[in-house]
Structure formats: C-alpha cells, structure tokens
Amino acid sequence: MRKHLSISSSSLLIAAALIVAHRTSFADWPMWRYNAARGAASPEQLSDQLHLQWVLQLPTPKPAWPAEQGKMQFDGSYEPVVMGQRMFVPSMVRDCVAAYDTRTGQELWRFYAEGPVRFAPVAHNDKVYFVSDDGHLYCVAAEDGALQWKFLGGPSAKKVLGNERLISMWPARGAPVLYDGTICFVAGIWPFMGTFVHAIAAETGEVVWTNSGSGSDYLVQPHSSPAFAGVSAQGYLTCDENLLLVAGGRTVPAGYDRKTGKFLFYQPGSRSFGKESGGYDVIMGKTWFANRGGLFRSDNGDALTRAAIVTASDDSVLQVEGQTIGAFRSQPTITEVIGKDRLGLATKNIECKFEKIWQSSLPSSVKQLHIRAGSHAYGSDSLDTIYAVELPQRDGQQPRVTWTGKIRGRVWNMLAADERLFVVNREGEIFCFGGEAKGVSLSTTVSPPKSSSQPETGAESDAAKAADEILKLSTGRDGYCILLGLGDGTLADELAQRSKLHVVAIDPDANRCAAARRRLDSAGLLGERVAVLNADLTSAGLPPYMAHLIVCRDPVAFGIDSNAAKFADGVFHALRPYGGISALHTSDAQHASLAVWLEQRPADGAKLRRQTPYTLLSREGPLPGSAPWTHQSADVGNTLISNDNLVKAPLGLLWFGGPSNQDVLPRHGHGPTPQVVGGRLFIEGPNMLRAVDVYTGRLLWQRELKDVGLYYNNTGHHPGAGGIGGNYVSVEDGIYVAYGRQGLRLDPATGKTLATFKLPPDESGDEPVWGYIGVYEDLLIAGSSPMIPFSASRAGDPKDAVFTRYGEGSRRIVVLDRYTGKV
C-alpha cells in the first residue's frame, strides 16, 4: 500500500534550506584525504568543464627521507586542506603554515613553527590544527593565524639533529586527526626514546588521555625476532568512533582505543603481503583498514587479503588494479573457513569478499586515480595531464573521461573543495581549477609576498663585516652554527650567505624572532639555511657536540654576568670535539670570569684565548675516554674490543638521518664494518667510500671508486667481510683501501688520493691482488691473494650472483712503510 504525503510550500523551503546547508558543509576538504577515515571521497560535485584559475609557486619540497623510501614519503610535496574560501598549506621547507585565498591564490597570513611542518593540517570550527618536527601540536585561528594554544607532545624541550635539522627529540610525526571534538597525534618516532600518543580537546587544548607506555611492548619484529619495541609513528593517524590507527612508516599501523588510548594491537612482523606491507597512508572502513594494497581486520590487525583501495566512503570503495577499476560495497563479507592440511591437521583460513557494484576498464590514458568528488574520480597520467572520469552507476557501463587539463610536472596529490579542484605537483606548485574561464596560463604564477622589513644599508654592512671577521676565526665554513642573540637580525643572514653553515639563531625575545623569521623567509633562507628558536641557552635544549661555530655578540643577555660558569657550560656543551669554536663578544672582566671557569675544569679539551673583542672558547681533540675503531675487527689485532670508556648504557639519541643509504652496501652482504676515527665515520658502498661527521651525521665527502665494494654487494647472506675481511682501514692521517691490484691512501678530511701503492710481482711476474690490509704504527701490512671478486649473472637479481675466482700465484704477506710505500 502506498502512502501519499502532502508537502506544504514552507516545508519545501525548509527542506531546500537543509539541502543547501548540507551541501555547504561538504564544500570543505578539512583533513588529509578528506576525513578521519582518509577515504579521499567527497560528495562535492565540480563543474563539468574546469579552467585554470591560478598557479601558486612554493619552494621546492624537502622531504625528511630520500625518495627511495617510498613508504616514508609523507612530505614528498605539499599537502593542503581547505575550509571555506581558505586553503591552508604546511611547509617542510619554511617551517610554517600559510593561508591562501582559494579564489585568487593570494596569501592571507603565515604562522611559523620552530621546525618543519611536514603534514596536512586539520581545519575545523574556524581553527587550524597542525604538528611540527618541533614536537608541538598547534591551534591557530583560521581568520588570521593567531595562536590559540600549543601543546608539547614529548616530555621535555630537548633537541636532536634529525634529517639534517635541529628538531625535537620527540618530533610530532603522527599527523593529527579530528573526530568528535578530539584531536589525536603522536610525538616520538624512536620507541627506545619513548613514543607519546595523545588525545587533546580541540577547543581548549586540554589533555583527554595520553599513552606513553606502548613503545616498549614485547613484540615479534620482522624476521620473526621478538624484542621490546613499539610503533614508530611516521604518517597519518586514522580513526573512527572506537579505533585509532597510528601509521608506522615502513610497517603496518598500530591500533589504539580512540576513547581511552588503550593499546590494542601492532604486528610489525607480519609478512602477509611481503614488502608491500606498511606505509604512511592508511584508509579505514567499518571492519577493516587498508594499507599499501593489503586489507586488515580492525579488531586485531590480522591480514585479510590484497585490495588496492583508492577511495572509500560509507557506502562504497573504489579499487584499481592496473587498468581495471571497480566499485564495491564498503562492507565486505568476512568468513572463517575450516579445513585440513596435508597432515590432516585442522586449519583456519579467512576469506574476505567485497560485493561488486560495477567493474570495468579504466580509460587507457589514466594511469592513477587520486580522489573521488561527486560522480567523478580525478586522476592523472605519468606526465602532466589530469583527467575527470565519470564513474558508472551500474555494472555494464564504462567510465569515460569528461575533461582533461594540463599542469607542469607530475601530480603529487589532489583535493576538491569550494567548487574547485586543487592539484599539487611534485615540484611544489599548486594549480587551482574552477568552472569560470579566466584565460589564466600555466606561466602565470602567484608568489608569496616579500617582506617589507629590510635592514638598513649601514646595518647590513656592519653585519657583513662582523660575519667575515667571525668566519676567519672558525676552522671551517660548513657544518652547524649557533647564533646566541639575533640583534637586528642581519648577522644570521650574513653568516648563512657567506658560508655553507646551517645557522640556528636563538633569542629569548618573541618579537625579534617573529621579525627575523619573516625577513629570512623572504630572503629564501629560513628553514634549511637558518632556523630561529625563541628560547634562552638553558631552555633551548641543545644536543651536545653539534656546533662547529657558536657566536654570541651579547653574552649579558644570556647570563654571563649573573653566572659565568653556567653560561660557559651551556656553550661548551654544544661545541663539537676536534676544533669546535665559539666567538664570544666579551669585556675584559667577562673574559677573566671565563678563565676562572676554565681553571676549575678537568682536562677535557677546553681551550680559551683572547682575540679582542672576542673570547675564543674551543673544544680541542677527541672526547676524553673515547677511542677509535680503525679496522674491521676494532684494531689490527682483530680483538673486537673497543677501548672507549664513554659508550655505556643507558644510550640516547644523538642524531639521525643524514645522507641517503642508497649508495651504501646492503646489509645481507656483510660488508666491512663502518670505522670511526678523528670524529669521522667511514662507510663503504658498491662504488664509493663516504665520510660522515660522527657527531652530527653530516656528509663530509664521498669518493667514487668503481666496484670497490663489489664482493660484498649482494643480498644472498654470504659471509662477506666475515669471510675475507674488510678492504679498508681508517687511521688519523689516512684511509687505506685495498683496491684491486693497488692500495690507496686517501685524505680523511677530503677523500682525495694521497698515495698509491703496488705490491711486488709474484713468481709469475704479475702484480698481485690486494687481499688483507692492516695498519700498525708506521707499517702498512698487506696480504696478496689470488682470490678475485667478480660478478656473474644468473637467474634472479644479479646482486645475488657474486662469486670468487681463484687465480694462479701464492699468498704472501708484505709489509710496507705506510707513507712511502717502500717494502
């Protein structure tokens, strides 16, 4: 029986108003991939034909991790969100979040953090929330960027050098997610240092709950290795009413109770989907979550099946496999199937099936789908073309391209909001497309505004002279520089521009810091070249040994008169061994107080000298009690015993990141042990030898040596250096390398060749191949060997096909003068 309803005109108006209100609420794209489930599917229906509105040119992205770490490319380019007619863009380059007008691309405001902002913000109720590598969760007003509150995620303000930046010991890399008025995020990426999962009331910044203990659970790690560990939060948090998922970077996510913070599950050792498992991006359904092509149960994290889910909404998911696209009901059928194995023992398998709505072929020109908006999906090819694809409504229909557009470069991400399509490319440009034809070309770009706060010519000149004067006192023009006190701000600029130093400027005055950030940003220096911290020497939380150069032109502001010993301790703490130097602009009386401090210290490498108007405080030589590791097995005697008295539990983090390990030998080949001497760490690759600053992780040099690590360059678990020994030795004044039929002595500071050695011919008259190599005092000990590494192809990876050929000739030990090569 049908019921006929009578609807009044007033009811229609109310219904229409509700529809409009509902439509407007969906015009935003308030979080990464649209919502807390990260489904990348919005009901926003865009115009059938789109036209370029504006192009925003931002600095070239600087991701935390190298490109080959695909599962960790959460900041491979910019990740905007949109609320109303404002687009909010984080910057991992300039340490800020900026707001732009969606209609014009013009900047409206900019808020600076004290570290890279690597993840998309959350926009909600006229506020914007974001996290930074400085460890904080920030809340700012969407209207003008005014700070509402901020929350420190870690237990203290301690800093560390991470990914070549000075950041929090507990960087906030568990990106924020909003659900039911609560913001969840994670600070800390190293479980042994502690990870802190927080739920924060979005309006007030008050703590709802904190889980700080799940970083030390006894878990099965990859390769079936049990250990105390926890999730390394690097990626976007995802949640629903009850479950919070913390992306684990290279591993599958961990599960927490969203309401209480109770740890539920984490299976980092799961190999159900091989190397595909894990990644910073997670999509959530009602009973499942998807991560890099794998589908997992929401109740316990168990693997279900492979599923290449691209977008998800409450009623359907889009899956793309190659050029096959399909829409399926969002709730799959999960059943347990009981069977028997070949021994007759009971087995239990899980079957997971999605009900098909339609399935078809994706147009051949479309290589990747990024988002769904209304009745269309939006994708791209592998070059510079973007597509609107109208999706079928039922099985048997074909998807069809209804619009194409052009950008520069390859697409990184897309979002649909405010009746516009926003496209971000990998090079850091944002393209806005809308329904109105404006005649804008790709060559027309909007650039961030330049600061009107420029230093006076005289001040700039004085700062330039001071920078030159200070740099002449330093041992080098690269590394890390700490500038205590901004002054008028120009010295930081000049130190950076006249050297390769990364300058960290510290000042207790918030207004001076804000002005300096704006000016440095306009000059293109903020972030990678100059960072600004609003702190004093005590609260800055500086790590030990980081600074090649420390500069202070106003020691009074940092407490030298009230407590000279405390001031000197803070400066000396941050100085790098082997010649780190501080230039302190002091009076004679202040210099005398520092001399008293020095007299009361043990012999720890501290040196003090006067070069008016500066006191030069330096840290000379190695740390007392430290020791080198010069050979494959510690020393020439193969003792495997270190004489270092400083390395002892409990250990903490000094730095992480630095140059990519792409050029380094794979671990399975058991290549030579990295060696440490003179404040440098030396490590080998298939075709190179590299030196890294052992105190900061900074790349010092890399010398190309073709096939130097050939024998060890495999993934077949052969004994490597454990079988034939290492092929280089590191001592204070030379790196000695067994390189085929010659020995090399390289400069430890530059990697340049200082000398080349040959071994005496063998009985056949041939020059022997260098095998064993060792250094004892002034002697270079070489073992000639008929064993010659070479590569031979076989099925599979050629890197797994390294064998040895035995040539003619005898094995001999030859002792040479390590400077002249004389036998």
Side-chain angles (χ1 to χ4, degrees):
M1 182 179 69
R2 295 179 178 176
K3 292 185 177 180
H4 298 274
L5 300 177
S6 175
I7 303 176
S8 67
S9 58
S10 60
S11 298
L12 287 172
L13 289 173
I14 292 172
L18 289 174
I19 290 171
V20 170
H22 182 72
R23 169 68 177 79
T24 302
S25 68
F26 284 114
D28 297 338
W29 190 283
M31 288 184 249
W32 185 72
R33 289 180 60 85
Y34 180 67
N35 58 9
R38 312 300 189 183
S42 166
E44 175 84 350
Q45 186 69 40
L46 301 181
S47 298
D48 292 337
Q49 294 299 309
L50 297 172
H51 306 274
L52 186 63
Q53 307 292 296
W54 47 261
V55 181
L56 178 63
Q57 175 68 61
L58 298 173
T60 302
K62 177 71 173 178
W65 302 105
E68 60 265 19
Q69 297 288 344
K71 296 179 182 180
M72 307 275 279
Q73 289 292 292
F74 42 78
D75 58 344
S77 191
Y78 297 97
E79 296 287 2
V81 299
V82 173
M83 180 170 63
Q85 293 184 10
R86 280 178 165 82
M87 177 180 68
F88 306 99
V89 185
S91 177
M92 79 298 285
V93 180
R94 298 290 182 249
D95 303 355
C96 68
V97 168
Y100 300 89
D101 188 315
T102 58
R103 305 302 171 99
T104 65
Q106 295 294 327
E107 183 175 321
L108 302 173
W109 55 256
R110 183 170 294 211
F111 180 93
Y112 294 99
E114 293 194 342
V117 184
R118 302 189 180 279
F119 297 93
V122 171
H124 175 70
N125 274 1
D126 298 324
K127 295 182 177 66
V128 180
Y129 306 86
F130 63 93
V131 295
S132 167
D133 271 6
D134 67 18
H136 286 88
L137 169 67
Y138 291 86
C139 172
V140 300
E143 177 68 23
D144 56 8
L147 179 66
Q148 306 299 294
W149 53 260
K150 68 177 183 178
F151 177 84
L152 180 62
S156 79
K158 285 185 178 180
K159 305 290 194 301
V160 69
L161 287 170
N163 302 118
E164 302 175 315
R165 293 292 308 277
L166 183 65
I167 63 174
S168 170
M169 182 73 76
W170 299 272
R173 292 194 183 170
V177 65
L178 172 74
Y179 195 95
D180 195 22
T182 301
I183 292 273
C184 292
F185 81 105
V186 184
I189 64 175
W190 304 102
F192 81 100
M193 294 299 296
T195 52
F196 300 83
V197 188
H198 299 286
I200 307 295
E203 285 298 315
T204 64
E206 295 178 352
V207 177
V208 177
W209 55 256
T210 293
N211 184 322
S212 61
S214 58
S216 58
D217 286 303
Y218 197 65
L219 302 169
V220 178
Q221 304 296 300
H223 300 280
S224 302
S225 174
F228 286 98
V231 65
S232 174
Q234 296 207 76
Y236 285 90
L237 272 60
T238 309
C239 72
D240 62 11
E241 176 69 20
N242 299 305
L243 179 64
L244 173 69
L245 294 174
V246 176
R250 290 169 58 106
T251 71
V252 294
Y256 294 80
D257 186 300
R258 189 193 67 82
K259 295 178 180 178
T260 66
K262 179 183 177 182
F263 172 73
L264 300 176
F265 58 80
Y266 179 46
Q267 299 188 32
S270 173
R271 304 281 293 180
S272 300
F273 305 113
K275 294 181 180 179
E276 296 176 11
S277 300
Y280 69 88
D281 43 353
V282 182
I283 303 172
M284 179 181 284
K286 292 181 179 179
T287 59
W288 53 267
F289 62 89
N291 186 215
R292 290 289 166 120
L295 203 71
F296 303 83
R297 292 178 62 142
S298 292
D299 54 352
N300 57 18
D302 285 352
L304 289 171
T305 186
R306 294 183 183 275
I309 295 176
V310 177
T311 71
S313 62
D314 289 341
D315 56 355
S316 66
V317 297
L318 278 183
Q319 296 189 41
V320 177
E321 287 277 8
Q323 291 302 121
T324 300
I325 180 174
F328 300 84
R329 302 294 178 194
S330 60
Q331 181 58 37
T333 301
I334 302 174
T335 57
E336 294 183 354
V337 179
I338 305 299
K340 292 184 178 181
D341 62 15
R342 59 188 181 85
L343 298 178
L345 300 176
T347 62
K348 182 174 69 173
N349 295 313
I350 303 295
E351 288 187 355
C352 177
K353 293 182 178 180
F354 285 92
E355 179 185 351
K356 182 178 70 174
I357 300 173
W358 56 262
Q359 195 166 22
S360 186
S361 295
L362 193 64
S364 59
S365 56
V366 182
K367 303 304 180 186
Q368 183 179 3
L369 288 185
H370 301 276
I371 65 170
R372 180 174 182 172
S375 61
H376 287 69
Y378 293 84
S380 62
D381 62 10
S382 56
L383 297 173
D384 57 2
T385 305
I386 55 178
Y387 302 90
V389 180
E390 186 178 35
L391 300 173
Q393 298 301 307
R394 60 181 183 274
D395 207 19
Q397 293 181 332
Q398 297 294 317
R400 66 186 187 93
V401 173
T402 58
W403 170 82
T404 63
K406 288 284 187 179
I407 66 165
R408 279 189 297 267
R410 292 183 60 193
V411 173
W412 169 254
N413 206 352
M414 296 182 180
L415 56 150
D418 191 29
E419 301 180 315
R420 283 156 172 73
L421 176 70
F422 302 90
V423 182
V424 185
N425 70 8
R426 294 173 181 265
E427 292 72 33
E429 293 175 297
I430 301 177
F431 304 82
C432 175
F433 294 87
E436 182 183 355
K438 289 189 173 183
V440 177
S441 70
L442 288 174
S443 61
T444 304
T445 60
V446 179
S447 298
K450 297 294 183 182
S451 172
S452 59
S453 175
Q454 298 296 331
E456 297 178 5
T457 304
E460 186 177 8
S461 177
D462 290 344
K465 292 177 182 178
D468 284 339
E469 185 179 64
I470 291 167
L471 289 171
K472 289 177 183 178
L473 303 173
S474 177
T475 55
R477 295 200 169 203
D478 52 9
Y480 292 92
C481 169
I482 297 172
L483 175 61
L484 298 176
L486 280 162
D488 62 7
T490 55
L491 183 57
D493 306 46
E494 296 296 338
L495 285 170
Q497 291 174 348
R498 295 169 183 272
S499 70
K500 295 182 180 179
L501 290 164
H502 175 85
V503 180
V504 178
I506 300 173
D507 198 290
D509 188 288
N511 291 330
R512 278 201 296 266
C513 290
R517 289 183 185 121
R518 288 193 295 271
R519 185 178 59 256
L520 290 163
D521 193 353
S522 295
L525 294 172
L526 187 66
E528 279 190 90
R529 295 304 317 284
V530 184
V532 178
L533 302 183
N534 181 206
D536 56 31
L537 190 54
T538 301
S539 63
L542 296 173
Y545 322 136
M546 72 164 282
H548 294 70
L549 174 64
I550 298 178
V551 179
C552 183
R553 301 188 77 194
D554 184 12
V556 174
F558 288 85
I560 191 172
D561 288 347
S562 59
N563 193 330
K566 184 177 181 181
F567 170 79
D569 283 340
V571 171
F572 191 70
H573 165 83
L575 276 180
R576 183 187 185 277
Y578 295 99
I581 190 168
S582 55
L584 313 174
H585 196 287
T586 58
S587 65
D588 289 342
Q590 290 166 342
H591 176 80
S593 66
L594 294 176
V596 172
W597 165 84
L598 181 65
E599 290 175 357
Q600 298 172 346
R601 294 186 66 79
D604 57 0
K607 302 291 182 182
L608 199 69
R609 59 190 174 94
R610 184 69 164 155
Q611 188 164 327
T612 308
Y614 294 105
T615 293
L616 303 181
L617 171 62
S618 59
R619 191 194 285 265
E620 305 294 333
L623 293 172
S626 65
W629 187 283
T630 60
H631 289 64
Q632 167 67 19
S633 299
D635 51 35
V636 70
N638 292 328
T639 64
L640 278 175
I641 297 174
S642 171
N643 293 319
D644 195 299
N645 296 317
L646 299 182
V647 179
K648 58 186 69 174
L651 299 175
L653 194 64
L654 183 62
W655 56 265
F656 67 89
S660 168
N661 65 355
Q662 183 73 2
D663 295 334
V664 175
L665 287 164
R667 66 183 187 275
H668 297 99
H670 298 168
T673 302
Q675 296 160 19
V676 176
V677 67
R680 305 180 184 97
L681 180 145
F682 302 95
I683 191 168
E684 186 176 351
N687 299 291
M688 68 86 187
L689 199 66
R690 168 189 292 173
V692 173
D693 183 347
V694 75
Y695 296 107
T696 66
R698 185 173 62 90
L699 178 65
L700 301 175
W701 55 260
Q702 183 164 309
R703 172 71 185 277
E704 302 305 310
L705 295 169
K706 182 173 172 52
D707 292 337
V708 67
L710 177 66
Y711 177 76
Y712 315 101
N713 187 28
N714 74 92
T715 56
H717 289 284
H718 78 62
I724 69 167
N727 63 345
Y728 72 101
V729 173
S730 306
V731 292
E732 283 274 4
D733 56 359
I735 310 301
Y736 293 85
V737 186
Y739 190 45
R741 298 183 187 275
Q742 61 182 340
L744 305 177
R745 179 180 172 224
L746 308 181
D747 186 338
T750 65
K752 294 180 179 179
T753 300
L754 298 176
T756 301
F757 307 108
K758 297 284 187 178
L759 295 181
D762 58 21
E763 294 86 344
S764 65
D766 290 336
E767 290 184 352
V769 173
W770 284 62
Y772 171 81
I773 187 168
V775 169
Y776 177 72
E777 295 183 350
D778 289 342
L779 303 178
L780 176 61
I781 305 169
S784 67
S785 172
M787 184 169 66
I788 305 174
F790 73 102
S791 178
S793 296
R794 67 180 184 188
D797 188 348
K799 290 183 180 179
D800 291 333
V802 178
F803 303 95
T804 56
R805 180 178 74 236
Y806 288 86
E808 300 296 327
S810 61
R811 298 178 177 85
R812 297 180 298 168
I813 297 295
V814 181
V815 181
L816 307 93
D817 183 296
R818 71 183 182 94
Y819 298 106
T820 67
K822 182 179 179 180
V823 177

